[in-house]
Amino acid sequence: MIRSVAFLGCLFAALCAMPVRAGTLTLSPEVSRALDQIYAGDPDAAVPSARAIEQSQPENPVGYLVEAEALWWKTYCEACEIKWGMLDAWKRGKKPEDDAYLALADKAIVLARAKNSQSETAEAHVYAAIGFALKARLYGLRDERRATAHAGVAARDECVRALQLDPDMADASAMLGLYNYYVDTLSAIAKVLRFFMGIPGGSKADGIRQMKTGIDHGALLVVDTRFYLARNLRTFDERYEEALAVAEPLVARYPRNPIFQLLAANLNAELGRDAKASEYLHAAPATQSPDPACAARIRELANSFLASLH
């Protein structure tokens, strides 16, 4: 059941294993700054930064994607809980603020497709794919399986076309890797359903390779890909040491992001390193997230984890 939900929640990537080489998008200093604000643990600060990009470049999908990414991490933090000894945003219902998030994703998709109608580029296809990925992410959290699958298939088409135009597009490779990994984790029943839905299979080995390419050479999806690879190696493969090696650079670069601290704590606890896990669990609430709802959730989660160590 966990694997099926995770697949549906992340069915935003593309379809098949393809040759991967190093290529990347080019981000402006303004976009890079806004992304750093998000991953440093202050997505609220990134929202006005993203809106400034939208105002200065209203026909560019990037600002809308960055704003939606900021809203996602707020949603993720508030939805986090501990199940089966693992920290994650497993499932929640619809909320009023979801409409604004989905509108941003839709806006980015419309703008990206408008660009492609004028002059087709791999970059615009990647932006459209990310827009569909953002939608699938929320639909998956809400356990809306049909909507998740539809958004995932649309993202698949955009990513495949991006790699046809530019085989070096590392951000598209990262999304392909996520798909290939997730589809290989499905239960036998879910794989039968996948077959009847016309969704091809994938392999974890290909997925991990492609995600690592995205981590090493991508632009917009580097942090997301590293986070989800670490989380998935924990959740589906119990490869805790490898997952920790993937996650630790997130904590090193963004020490004030409590989500990254909690992931590192979770992985150290799985490895029996309670002292190190406790260190991260004390550090997470001390980051004092500017979002009151997120800060309260982090304190609750950290205290629950600490109690389980004793």
Side-chain angles (χ1 to χ4, degrees), residues 76-211:
Y76 184 90
C77 182
E78 294 168 22
C80 271
E81 56 184 322
I82 301 168
K83 289 186 177 183
W84 309 285
M86 293 179 286
L87 173 82
D88 211 339
W90 299 100
K91 182 180 175 181
R92 73 143 169 84
K94 292 182 180 180
K95 291 194 173 184
E97 57 266 30
D98 293 351
D99 291 342
Y101 171 91
L102 292 171
L104 287 165
D106 283 332
K107 179 71 171 178
I109 292 165
V110 168
L111 290 175
R113 287 183 160 177
K115 284 182 174 293
N116 273 333
S117 69
Q118 297 170 0
S119 179
E120 188 180 21
T121 66
E123 180 176 358
H125 280 291
V126 168
Y127 292 150
I130 295 172
F132 284 114
L134 289 165
K135 296 180 68 171
R137 202 185 261 178
L138 181 62
Y139 291 144
L141 183 62
R142 301 193 320 197
D143 202 26
E144 297 176 14
R145 302 185 181 192
R146 187 176 296 275
T148 304
H150 282 209
V153 169
R156 171 258 180 201
D157 293 341
E158 299 289 351
C159 267
V160 168
R161 182 57 181 154
L163 284 169
Q164 288 172 346
L165 292 169
D166 182 359
D168 296 344
M169 186 56 72
D171 287 285
S173 297
M175 287 191 280
L176 281 169
L178 281 166
Y179 174 85
N180 281 321
Y181 184 95
Y182 277 112
V183 78
D184 204 18
T185 69
L186 293 175
S187 67
I189 293 175
K191 285 181 178 177
V192 171
L193 293 174
R194 174 191 59 74
F195 175 79
F196 284 110
M197 291 174 66
I199 301 172
S203 86
K204 287 184 180 180
D206 287 336
I208 291 171
R209 174 178 59 84
Q210 291 170 312
M211 282 188 276

Side-chain angles (χ1 to χ4, degrees), residues 207-263:
I208 291 171
R209 174 178 59 84
Q210 291 170 312
M211 282 188 276
K212 287 182 176 179
T213 294
I215 289 169
D216 291 340
H217 303 292
L220 274 174
L221 302 178
V222 173
V223 173
D224 276 0
T225 305
R226 184 177 287 279
F227 176 80
Y228 282 104
L229 177 57
R231 191 202 70 166
N232 296 341
L233 289 170
R234 173 207 66 185
T235 305
F236 302 112
D237 292 327
E238 299 181 357
R239 291 159 64 174
Y240 304 124
E241 196 75 65
E242 185 178 351
L244 184 60
V246 173
E248 282 180 331
L250 294 175
V251 180
R253 182 173 179 182
Y254 301 109
R256 297 194 61 78
N257 188 319
I259 295 295
F260 299 159
Q261 298 274 359
L262 290 179
L263 176 61

